[in-house]
Amino acid sequence: MHFSIPETEIRTGDNGSTFVAYNIHVNGVLHCRVRYSQLLGLHEQIKKEYGSNVVPAFPPKKIFTLTPAEVEQRREQLEKYMQAVRQDPLLGSSEMFNSFLRKAQQETQQIPTEEVTLDICLSNGQKVTVNILTSDQTEDVLDAVATKLDLPDDLVGYFNLFLVREGVDGSLTFVRKLQEFELPYVSITSLRSLEYHIVLRKSYWDMAYDSDVMDNRVGLNLLYAQTVSDVERGWILVNKDQHRQLKSLQEKGSKKEFIHLGQTLKYYGYIKFDPCITDFPEKGCQVIVSAGNNELNFHVKLPNEQMKEGSFKVTRMRCWRVTSSQVPMTNGTANPCSSAKCEVKLELAFEYLMSKDRLQWVTITSQQAIMMSICLQSMVDELMVKKSGGSIKKMLRKRHNGSIHRSDSQTVKSPPVLDSPDTNREPVAKLSTKLSSVSLRGISASNSANDISGNDFHGNYAFEGIGDDDL
């Protein structure tokens, strides 16, 4: 998650006195307003619990009223502090930090703790209404949905809740996976827009785990609904013959067979992102990015209108980072990713092992950069557990509670799969000797994901370094 404090406000307290409020944004969206004293209290609690050596530096108290320049300096220092805490694998996943953010979010939106109903959408558009408290965190809401659906406890961790925005044409934009530091009811209510929904979707990438889910009736129905939806939205690429087979299986009610056929199709289990901009293979190229199968897939439109496709394996990424910047709004219209006068520009950049001993940075400019980063990290987590022989069920149920290294923040260090102190893993230098060269395949303009007849890709625009997983 990208934490920032882009602005401050002068607010009036209950006793009539004024104070400076620091607006904490997550992924460019206002999460909460807090006073310096509240953050100082958090800092003291963290220091007491984890020790002074672990906690990052905190801006000191001032005796006299701060000047505007001093307020700005403190804002910058507090922003760095919050980013440092969040990025720390121990502090950023601590219940102390997360509960502080949940409480601050609820207080900022002035939503009292009370019983409410919340609609959770399934992939087929069906809504599941659950009774919750406004103060229930993400895991509580997920458990409530599972109980309502009669999904067994050992399968709950195979699914997550996602915040999505639905377009007028029915398209879905994945905004983010709901996190442990937020209250889903407060998050969706604060957006004040009917475009936004909370969707239940599977949380893993390896289709081998589908069998665990399909052994249960409810799990089978959820996975079937997601597969049907992904085909209908064009996220899974099918040709006319495959489309006829899928339609026949759907009419027969052969859900398992439908999923098994779906598993053989291109982009099964991928999340497709909105069109954005990349600097690969040239600056300013339009691209559609999809995440799945331990890779980021690119459909690139070059300046000469030629279309290219290629994939970047997560095991070839040495590291990645997400950066943000404030840019003036072009049309004056507000959106959830903007402050009063500016909107946030997000970029995901990853350093990729293109060929032996040659690393190159690839940048994606997208408002979904954080979601892309979360996808990459969850792929890495899954691969690590699989390689170590651990239990995917235990990993999923932990829901990134700190036992797994976090890399979805402002600056992501080397993913453990490639760069780790574990002596059983090869360093990047050795890994590079295993790379093979494949081509970045050209595709015709008509072969869009919405064209069910488009399934074959041709061309010989080649580059090195995009190869198979070597785990």
Side-chain angles (χ1 to χ4, degrees):
M1 292 292 103
H2 183 87
F3 279 66
S4 63
I5 304 179
E7 60 199 6
T8 60
E9 292 183 29
I10 302 298
R11 302 185 69 85
T12 303
D14 295 335
N15 60 0
S17 62
T18 60
F19 64 90
V20 177
Y22 297 87
N23 294 348
I24 298 177
H25 288 231
V26 180
N27 298 357
V29 180
L30 176 66
H31 180 80
C32 59
R33 298 184 185 93
V34 294
R35 301 177 67 159
Y36 170 83
S37 58
Q38 290 175 278
L39 291 175
L40 177 60
L42 172 65
H43 172 71
E44 293 296 338
Q45 287 182 338
I46 293 177
K47 188 167 63 173
K48 182 178 180 181
E49 178 71 20
Y50 297 100
S52 301
N53 295 333
V54 178
V55 183
F58 192 83
K61 291 182 179 179
K62 299 286 187 178
I63 299 177
F64 302 105
T65 302
L66 273 61
T67 66
E70 290 174 327
V71 169
E72 174 61 16
Q73 182 184 44
R74 176 174 282 182
R75 181 198 65 78
E76 293 177 352
Q77 293 171 336
L78 290 174
E79 180 177 74
K80 291 178 180 178
Y81 175 82
M82 291 296 292
Q83 291 172 352
V85 171
R86 176 59 185 176
Q87 290 177 35
D88 186 279
L90 179 64
L91 304 180
S93 60
S94 67
E95 177 58 22
M96 185 180 297
F97 182 66
N98 290 327
S99 62
F100 172 84
L101 291 172
R102 291 194 296 265
K103 182 180 179 181
Q105 182 190 27
Q106 187 176 7
E107 290 177 348
T108 298
Q109 298 300 332
Q110 298 181 332
I111 296 178
T113 298
E114 58 186 0
E115 292 185 357
V116 292
T117 59
L118 180 64
D119 288 336
I120 306 298
C121 298
L122 306 182
S123 296
N124 59 2
Q126 178 183 348
K127 291 183 179 180
V128 177
T129 302
V130 293
N131 296 310
I132 63 168
L133 293 174
T134 55
S135 58
D136 280 344
Q137 57 185 293
T138 301
E139 187 167 352
D140 297 331
V141 176
L142 181 58
D143 287 338
V145 176
T147 300
K148 187 70 175 285
L149 294 173
D150 199 23
L151 183 69
D153 288 344
D154 62 342
L155 292 183
V156 177
Y158 285 79
F159 295 88
N160 271 323
L161 299 176
F162 295 86
L163 179 66
V164 303
R165 185 176 70 248
E166 184 176 3
V168 293
D169 58 351
S171 61
L172 286 185
T173 296
F174 275 71
V175 179
R176 68 176 184 273
K177 182 179 76 174
L178 294 185
Q179 299 293 313
E180 65 275 19
F181 58 75
E182 64 182 312
L183 309 176
Y185 180 85
V186 178
S187 293
I188 194 74
T189 303
S190 64
L191 292 172
R192 296 177 177 83
S193 173
L194 297 178
E195 295 179 327
Y196 290 87
H197 310 285
I198 298 177
V199 171
L200 181 71
R201 186 178 174 89
K202 73 177 185 179
S203 60
Y204 59 90
W205 301 99
D206 191 339
M207 69 177 68
Y209 300 117
D210 284 349
S211 58
D212 294 342
V213 177
M214 288 192 292
D215 284 341
N216 174 265
R217 174 185 57 84
V218 178
L220 172 62
N221 289 336
L222 291 173
L223 190 58
Y224 172 73
Q226 179 177 316
T227 307
V228 171
S229 174
D230 288 356
V231 170
E232 292 176 345
R233 294 183 183 281
W235 287 18
I236 297 176
L237 201 62
V238 299
N239 58 31
K240 290 182 178 179
D241 182 57
Q242 293 163 341
H243 188 267
R244 283 193 295 267
Q245 294 179 56
L246 290 171
K247 186 177 181 180
S248 176
L249 291 172
Q250 190 174 11
E251 291 173 348
K252 295 176 183 178
S254 303
K255 297 179 181 178
K256 283 190 176 181
E257 291 77 7
F258 187 99
I259 295 172
H260 287 317
L261 178 56
Q263 290 173 334
T264 67
L265 302 178
K266 194 174 181 68
Y267 308 130
Y268 172 82
Y270 282 62
I271 289 179
K272 186 177 180 181
F273 299 98
D274 293 344
C276 51
I277 303 297
T278 183
D279 63 356
F280 186 89
E282 301 177 38
K283 288 185 177 181
C285 289
Q286 298 179 38
V287 62
I288 295 179
V289 179
S290 300
N293 194 29
N294 300 321
E295 68 180 22
L296 289 183
N297 179 271
F298 277 30
H299 276 73
V300 181
K301 183 178 182 180
L302 300 178
N304 62 4
E305 301 298 315
Q306 187 179 9
M307 302 296 294
K308 300 291 182 180
E309 182 201 5
S311 296
F312 296 90
K313 288 291 185 181
V314 69
T315 49
R316 311 293 191 204
M317 296 180 188
R318 182 179 177 276
C319 60
W320 69 84
R321 63 171 178 246
V322 174
T323 57
S324 70
S325 58
Q326 296 281 338
V327 295
M329 298 192 64
T330 56
N331 55 12
T333 58
N335 62 66
C337 291
S338 68
S339 59
K341 299 179 180 179
C342 296
E343 60 183 354
V344 176
K345 175 183 177 182
L346 293 173
E347 290 185 340
L348 169 70
F350 56 88
E351 193 175 23
Y352 197 77
L353 201 55
M354 292 292 181
S355 62
K356 183 178 180 179
D357 302 324
R358 187 171 74 89
L359 290 162
Q360 178 177 335
W361 283 96
V362 177
T363 300
I364 305 167
T365 302
S366 168
Q367 289 304 118
Q368 294 174 286
I370 299 292
M371 184 65 194
M372 294 178 190
S373 176
I374 291 174
C375 290
L376 290 176
Q377 183 59 41
S378 60
M379 291 176 190
V380 170
D381 292 342
E382 199 170 298
L383 287 170
M384 288 176 64
V385 171
K386 184 176 181 180
K387 186 175 182 181
S388 65
S391 170
I392 186 71
K393 289 186 178 181
K394 290 181 180 180
M395 184 203 81
L396 292 172
R397 191 58 183 165
K398 285 175 182 176
R399 293 207 234 296
H400 301 270
N401 65 355
S403 60
I404 297 174
H405 180 70
R406 179 187 309 280
S407 290
D408 59 344
S409 49
Q410 278 84 356
T411 302
V412 179
K413 301 301 181 183
S414 302
V417 170
L418 291 184
D419 190 5
S420 169
D422 187 346
T423 56
N424 294 323
R425 295 195 180 96
E426 293 182 314
V428 173
K430 292 184 179 180
L431 182 63
S432 65
T433 63
K434 295 184 178 181
L435 296 181
S436 59
S437 172
V438 300
S439 62
L440 179 63
R441 297 153 290 177
I443 61 176
S444 65
S446 62
N447 275 343
S448 67
N450 295 321
D451 180 4
I452 62 172
S453 64
N455 195 40
D456 297 319
F457 306 102
H458 306 284
N460 56 8
Y461 186 91
F463 68 95
E464 294 183 325
I466 298 182
D468 294 331
D469 189 347
D470 65 347
L471 286 179

